[in-house]
Amino acid sequence: MRIALVTTSWPAGDRDPSGHFVRAEARELEQQGHEVVVVAPEARGDGAFGWPGVAARVREKPWRALDAARWVAAARAGVRRLGADRVVAHWAVPSAWPVGLAGRAELAVVSHGGDVRLLAAMPRVVREHVVGAIAARATEWRFVSHALKERLTSTLGDVLRSRVERIGVVRPAAIEVPDVRDASARIVRELRGTRVAVSVGRLVPGKGVDRAIDHVARARDVDALVVVGDGPERTRLEAHARSRGVDARFTGVLPREEALAWMHAADVLLFASVEEGASTVLREAEALGTPVVVL
């Protein structure tokens, strides 16, 4: 089967932390014998796509919305040309609507969180138009958590809710966790006994990194906090850490294996996000054997 995998987040290389769970699914499909063609934007320095996400980048510079619109138009044309048997759209908007709907192939949709929040924030008439168009074509609408599915369906009228429920399934995104023990051991040696908590993710309000800082300020079993990630909240969070007297190291965006090495080396992962349904970070911490404190 020829599958078009449509996504707005695809890693630019092995060291890029973006969209690794989408790439993991692509590899699973290829291992099953399918031909996978990825339809994804190129992350450019001043474009709409890239770290820390389309929404944050467009808020920072609203004209980037034009770049996103250009990609949507080009992606729709690409999907039509591909003649795929199936389209797998990671993110309901814009990967399923309007891009995935451009072709005639069977459509499967995967919602990770940001798309559900976007749909929930739309005026009801717009939301029901978009969801209705997707539900009329999709054979599967996969949510990475029950909470995300409930959040969307609770905003819909009875008829449309029933249509989404019929095709809705809950399954966490695929993840691949490489062996980072050697890199982790080097970090542990460099720490020289310092007890470290780590927070991993985009530095945006919904991730709750300020609560992680407050937790370390009160904790007696942690000496320092390592914040892996970047985003528009970084300057404010650095100032907050100083004001609370927290020894905080902000690493910026790291290649995924380096981020995982920090998670493995840390004494505890602090998780304070209010946005996640089935957090990839929590599942990675579990795979690495790192204790987690949910704030």
Side-chain angles (χ1 to χ4, degrees):
M1 180 182 291
R2 192 177 206 205
I3 297 175
L5 194 154
V6 183
T7 180
T8 55
S9 183
W10 183 260
D14 288 339
R15 293 174 63 82
D16 185 351
S18 303
H20 57 85
F21 44 87
V22 184
R23 184 176 59 187
E25 178 164 343
R27 288 174 173 168
E28 284 186 356
L29 291 170
E30 288 172 337
Q31 290 168 1
Q32 294 166 12
H34 301 297
E35 176 191 1
V36 178
V37 181
V38 177
V39 180
E42 179 183 356
R44 293 179 285 108
D46 216 25
F49 300 98
W51 192 270
V54 176
R57 292 175 69 82
V58 170
R59 279 195 298 269
E60 180 187 25
K61 295 182 178 180
W63 61 262
R64 286 173 171 160
L66 296 174
D67 182 56
R70 282 193 293 268
W71 177 78
V72 166
R76 281 175 57 84
V79 167
R80 283 194 294 266
R81 287 194 303 268
L82 278 175
D85 303 295
R86 192 172 197 236
V87 172
V88 177
H90 278 264
W91 286 276
V93 180
S95 301
W97 182 95
V99 175
L101 295 176
R104 297 183 178 180
E106 172 189 319
L107 177 64
V109 186
V110 187
S111 282
H112 295 273
D115 51 349
V116 170
R117 292 189 293 275
L118 176 60
L119 287 167
M122 290 177 177
R124 180 164 183 160
V125 64
V126 178
R127 176 172 60 251
E128 297 221 340
H129 170 75
V130 172
V131 173
I134 294 172
R137 278 281 308 280
T139 57
E140 177 182 275
W141 194 329
R142 189 192 330 155
F143 298 84
V144 299
S145 76
H146 290 281
L148 284 178
K149 181 183 175 185
E150 174 59 27
R151 180 166 185 181
L152 178 61
T153 56
S154 67
T155 68
L156 305 174
D158 292 343
V159 174
L160 190 50
R161 182 188 304 119
S162 178
R163 288 166 61 187
V164 174
E165 291 281 3
R166 281 199 299 271
I167 60 173
V169 297
V170 175
R171 186 165 72 249
I175 61 170
E176 298 172 324
V177 180
D179 186 348
V180 296
R181 286 175 294 184
D182 289 345
S184 173
R186 287 194 296 271
I187 291 172
V188 170
R189 288 195 295 270
E190 292 169 3
L191 290 173
R192 297 179 180 179
T194 301
R195 298 169 299 178
V196 168
V198 66
S199 172
V200 180
R202 295 175 297 127
L203 303 189
V204 295
K207 294 296 184 180
V209 178
D210 49 352
R211 296 205 305 280
I213 292 169
D214 292 339
H215 176 84
V216 173
R218 297 188 301 266
R220 296 185 177 183
D221 56 349
V222 174
D223 302 316
L225 173 67
V226 174
V227 180
V228 178
D230 212 338
E233 288 278 284
R234 178 168 177 170
T235 300
R236 185 187 71 81
L237 291 168
E238 288 175 330
H240 184 57
R242 289 192 296 271
S243 72
R244 295 301 310 269
V246 172
D247 180 5
R249 172 179 174 179
F250 287 74
T251 69
V253 180
L254 295 179
R256 182 163 180 258
E257 291 196 11
E258 290 184 31
L260 290 172
W262 270 108
M263 288 172 62
H264 188 260
D267 294 274
V268 64
L269 172 81
L270 301 181
F271 184 81
S273 175
V274 297
E275 295 185 345
E276 304 291 346
S279 169
T280 300
V281 169
L282 289 181
R283 295 169 63 212
E284 289 169 339
E286 180 182 8
L288 293 166
T290 302
V292 174
V293 172
V294 178
L295 303 175

